Amino acid sequence: MCGIVGYIGNKEASPILIDGLKKLEYRGYDSAGIAVYHNESLQITKTKGRLVALEEKLQGNELTGSVGIGHTRWATHGAPSDVNSHPHGNSTQTIAVVHNGIIENYLTLKEELQADGVVFLSETDTEVAAHLVDLYYNQCGDLIDAVIKTMGRIEGSYALGVVCRDHPDLLVAARKDSPLIVGLGKGENFVASDIPAILQYTRDIYLLDDHEIAVVTRDDIKIINRNKEEVKKEIYKVTWDVAAAEKGGYEHFMLKEIFEQPKAVRDTLLPRLPQNKEEIVLDDIKLSQKELEKINKIYIVACGTAYYAGLIGKYLIERVGRIPVVAEVASEFRYRDPIMDENTLLILVSQSGETADTVAAMRRAKKAGARVLGVVNVVGSTIAREADDLLYTWAGPEIAVASTKAYSTQVVAMYLIACHIAMETGKMSTAEFIELRKELHTIPDKIDEILKQADKLKEYADHYMSSKNVFYIGRGLDFAVSMEGSLKLKEIAYVHSEPYAAGELKHGPIALIEDGTLVIGIVSQEELFDKTVSNLREVKARGAKILAIAQEGHTEIEKTADDVIYVPRTHWMFTPILANIPQQLFAYYMATGLGHDVDKPRNLAKSVTVE
Ligand code: F6R
């Protein structure tokens, strides 16, 4: 979602801000702006549209100055427009504020400020923060106190960056429920909402926690709490490379990340499956065997793609671990009254570790006494820090909005967790585990094999390019896989599609099948193969065109399907990770064929940090 970059140092701030914002473009945005201290005043330039539009606006009106804040906005309150873009200022433009998150009580605050004569220029919730800082600054004369007082008034989530004309040597940042980091440089320091924005300048960062304030000057960074007490923070060293956040010769981040999957899966898998140990090494899962034996119910909670990975976890844990599992989207889970106690395990799946609904679900479960296990990709993210137990998916930075390699590694995490639970509770023997481990080791190479069929998938995408409605159907694990396939097509190709349990079609949706409707049949589950093929015949009889994804050797599918993509044979547990790869490529080639920018799909953002 929105991106924040702040700079204070001795170089020109504005190119650093713009460059940092470019590194955050992948998060999705609709407008951009910067504020720079220049000639004893704060100069704000902002515009609707992409960063190129901002650069055009700055041409000939360059802002020179070495302190500033920048922002890319993903509209929540008020349409994308120049005036609604950040930074927002107070009435005299002596204070500028950028904000990620949502100020839930902004209307009450706005009315209160308006009653005092404040004139609002925008429809945003953020402008309230700018005027509040101004109000308290005028009252107390201290910018830090003014920010702290403002934090006390705001309900909701925020990552704030504040600069003030009276303090050209100061950058103030604060957070609650929205990520914010501070980068340590030499004679310069940085603030950002995400690491790629500042990675080319520093690898040393502080991860701010909720209710913390960063007081940043050129030579010093002080992290304080709302009582102005200094908080001692450890420096987090970023180990991944700048190149990991670059396209590396691929046309899109998404394609690069699809092709990175063998490595991402290896990195997630191998450290956990040492050959010399007959166990899964999950260092950050502290749940003891005794505690695990007491768990009588598991919830897997996540959003979007991460939820579909979680669904695979549900099937597997129930089948091999024999514990009831409910998989649910976080936005629903958090607002109903799920039954949880100390014998409940909540597994959260999240690439970013910052998704607002997933974070809220975690806090709710912790309050109810449940044990929380986070499956997270971004190191040091909110879920990574607050969960009781942790399993990192070592996918590396995922830049494309549409999740691919993160999904595959989340599915790997589900394999590890399911096998771990099954072994710890005596439902899986060591011999069974050793067999599975052997097969798991072959998965990265099998993914490589599927990637070699990229050209064939491009051909199929070209062939079916005019489809307006697509059904994805499957049974069991294949049904879970079909949901992810359908989501990918919707979000990047903008083609309407529906995933359906194959056996459920005839209870209604089959009415939508007509001549030429594309049905993608996932038939990778050996034991359900015949059943799903019967359902495919039913749609074929009604005019559907069928593209099937099947395991090698199941050539009888060719009698039913118009086109087939084969994936290498594997154990039934591991078919989802393989069967999904052709779906990713199919969606990618449909989207590029239709001329869409797959890395920045319309209306979408990478990390959904608002409800
Ligand atoms: C789709 C996609 C989203 C995310 C969802 C959860 O390709 O990326 O559906 O999976 O927004 O995000 P995380 O995993 O960061 O919690």
Side-chain angles (χ1 to χ4, degrees):
M1 296 209 132
C2 309
I4 289 180
V5 186
Y7 176 76
I8 181 161
N10 295 308
K11 299 185 192 125
E12 286 300 330
S14 104
I16 294 175
L17 298 176
I18 303 255
D19 193 61
L21 292 175
K22 281 186 182 163
K23 299 285 186 320
L24 299 179
E25 274 195 300
Y26 69 93
R27 297 172 70 93
Y29 71 104
D30 44 54
S31 45
I34 58 172
V36 173
Y37 180 81
H38 170 79
N39 272 351
E40 298 184 5
S41 68
L42 284 181
Q43 304 280 318
I44 300 178
T45 304
K46 52 189 193 174
T47 182
K48 177 183 166 182
R50 297 274 174 206
L51 281 163
V52 283
L54 180 65
E55 285 178 300
E56 272 165 25
K57 206 164 180 176
L58 283 165
Q59 244 168 39
N61 304 300
E62 281 82 8
L63 305 183
T64 52
S66 55
V67 184
I69 47 176
H71 190 264
T72 42
R73 173 176 188 250
W74 188 83
T76 58
H77 295 63
S81 69
D82 290 1
V83 76
N84 285 337
S85 312
H86 300 211
H88 289 283
N90 58 336
S91 313
T92 48
Q93 299 286 296
T94 52
I95 288 168
V97 172
V98 290
H99 164 232
N100 288 358
I102 286 186
I103 300 175
E104 287 166 4
N105 59 336
Y106 88 102
L107 268 181
T108 317
L109 295 170
K110 189 170 180 173
E111 278 162 17
E112 185 186 307
L113 288 158
Q114 280 171 326
D116 278 347
V118 174
V119 177
F120 278 76
L121 302 177
S122 76
E123 301 156 89
T124 65
D125 52 342
T126 302
E127 198 181 340
V128 160
H131 291 299
L132 280 178
V133 174
D134 178 48
L135 173 77
Y136 295 125
Y137 181 61
N138 287 332
Q139 282 174 7
C140 69
D142 184 308
L143 185 63
I144 316 292
D145 283 334
V147 171
I148 293 174
K149 282 201 168 121
T150 301
M151 291 163 74
R153 298 296 315 280
I154 293 177
E155 287 166 21
S157 56
Y158 54 82
L160 289 172
V162 182
V163 285
C164 173
R165 188 202 57 186
D166 300 349
H167 297 276
D169 298 318
L170 187 60
L171 185 61
V172 184
R175 81 156 259 177
K176 180 182 166 275
D177 293 340
S178 245
L180 201 61
I181 59 168
V182 183
L184 291 78
K186 286 210 171 70
E188 60 183 1
N189 289 307
F190 307 83
V191 166
S193 51
D194 204 355
I195 295 168
I198 57 173
L199 191 55
Q200 61 169 309
Y201 308 108
T202 180
R203 293 179 166 276
D204 294 343
I205 62 170
Y206 289 133
L207 304 163
L208 282 201
D209 280 307
D210 281 353
H211 309 297
E212 287 178 351
I213 302 110
V215 181
V216 187
T217 63
R218 286 177 178 82
D219 300 309
D220 188 42
I221 298 169
K222 219 178 239 107
I223 312 291
I224 56 172
N225 62 21
R226 284 187 295 174
N227 299 322
K228 289 181 98 171
E229 294 151 348
E230 194 164 344
V231 182
K232 281 273 153 252
K233 304 287 282 186
E234 296 218 337
I235 294 178
Y236 168 66
K237 276 217 171 286
V238 183
T239 50
W240 44 271
D241 206 15
V242 181
E246 307 279 348
K247 276 192 222 158
Y250 284 89
E251 200 176 333
H252 294 103
F253 279 112
M254 184 180 173
L255 192 63
K256 175 180 174 240
E257 288 162 9
I258 289 174
F259 276 85
E260 280 173 351
Q261 289 179 110
K263 178 179 182 319
V265 167
R266 249 181 228 116
D267 290 350
T268 306
L269 208 49
L270 298 191
R272 274 75 185 237
L273 293 178
Q275 291 289 4
N276 57 347
K277 283 193 183 157
E278 283 159 7
E279 61 179 276
I280 302 175
V281 178
L282 299 171
D283 284 338
D284 296 326
I285 298 188
K286 311 280 180 242
L287 201 65
S288 68
Q289 186 171 6
K290 247 199 179 136
E291 286 169 322
L292 205 46
E293 273 163 2
K294 282 199 202 134
I295 298 292
N296 56 20
K297 183 200 265 180
I298 298 176
Y299 286 104
I300 303 183
V301 174
C303 301
T305 287
Y307 164 67
Y308 297 140
L311 262 183
I312 294 184
K314 170 193 159 66
Y315 280 86
L316 298 181
I317 295 171
E318 287 199 335
R319 188 143 163 204
V320 302
R322 307 311 294 159
I323 300 176
V325 183
V326 175
E328 190 167 357
V329 291
S331 52
E332 287 300 313
F333 179 87
R334 67 179 289 193
Y335 287 118
R336 55 182 197 88
D337 195 7
I339 301 162
M340 291 183 278
D341 58 25
E342 65 282 2
N343 297 325
T344 308
L345 175 66
L346 178 86
I347 302 176
L348 299 160
V349 190
S350 177
Q351 189 284 128
S352 62
E354 301 289 353
T355 301
D357 286 321
T358 315
V359 169
M362 167 177 71
R363 291 181 179 157
R364 177 141 201 195
K366 286 190 90 166
K367 239 188 198 156
R371 182 89 178 210
V372 173
L373 161 57
V375 174
V376 176
N377 194 43
V378 176
V379 176
S381 55
T382 301
I383 295 175
R385 282 182 282 163
E386 291 184 23
D388 303 308
D389 302 283
L390 191 59
L391 203 171
Y392 275 121
T393 52
W394 296 116
E398 190 178 64
I399 306 291
V401 167
S403 182
T404 53
K405 62 175 180 172
Y407 171 85
S408 288
T409 56
Q410 285 160 353
V411 174
V412 167
M414 295 301 122
Y415 295 151
L416 295 172
I417 291 170
C419 291
H420 177 71
I421 290 177
M423 285 207 293
E424 291 287 298
T425 55
K427 316 267 175 19
M428 183 184 283
S429 68
T430 307
E432 278 173 295
F433 166 66
I434 289 171
E435 273 309 297
L436 289 174
R437 181 176 66 185
K438 206 164 126 203
E439 184 55 27
L440 265 173
H441 277 290
T442 69
I443 296 297
D445 287 342
K446 288 180 175 169
I447 296 176
D448 246 333
E449 284 306 304
I450 303 169
L451 293 172
K452 287 184 189 141
Q453 300 186 67
D455 286 347
K456 197 164 176 196
L457 279 148
K458 183 172 181 324
E459 261 173 50
Y460 289 154
D462 288 344
H463 180 66
Y464 292 112
M465 192 76 72
S466 57
S467 300
K468 295 282 176 276
N469 289 298
V470 180
F471 281 88
Y472 283 74
I473 68 167
R475 285 172 181 256
L477 285 168
D478 286 337
F479 174 41
V481 172
S482 76
M483 294 194 202
E484 173 55 10
S486 169
L487 177 66
K488 235 30 10 136
L489 193 71
K490 283 193 257 277
E491 66 179 331
I492 57 168
Y494 316 147
V495 173
H496 173 251
S497 76
E498 291 210 39
Y500 247 94
E504 183 68 11
L505 270 185
K506 55 173 110 32
H507 298 285
I510 202 165
L512 291 169
I513 303 289
E514 51 189 20
D515 256 355
T517 306
L518 175 60
V519 176
I520 299 187
I522 326 296
V523 282
S524 75
Q525 288 292 294
E526 196 87 46
E527 61 185 22
L528 295 166
F529 181 83
D530 292 338
K531 300 274 173 215
T532 309
V533 169
S534 302
N535 300 128
L536 288 173
R537 286 213 192 94
E538 290 160 6
V539 293
K540 193 179 172 77
R542 286 155 182 86
K545 289 281 175 213
I546 294 170
L547 169 60
I549 299 172
Q551 288 208 56
E552 270 164 8
H554 271 301
T555 48
E556 63 269 40
I557 187 70
E558 289 171 26
K559 289 186 205 135
T560 309
D562 298 273
D563 295 297
V564 185
I565 283 284
Y566 290 105
V567 296
R569 293 190 88 83
T570 186
H571 185 274
W572 65 263
M573 278 175 76
F574 310 137
T575 60
I577 198 165
L578 299 186
N580 183 51
I581 309 288
Q583 302 191 126
Q584 295 173 338
L585 287 164
F586 183 76
Y588 173 80
Y589 288 119
M590 280 282 260
T592 48
L594 290 165
H596 304 313
D597 180 354
V598 293
D599 281 341
K600 295 181 211 98
R602 70 181 178 210
N603 306 337
L604 297 183
K606 180 66 186 160
S607 179
V608 184
T609 47
V610 295
E611 272 190 59

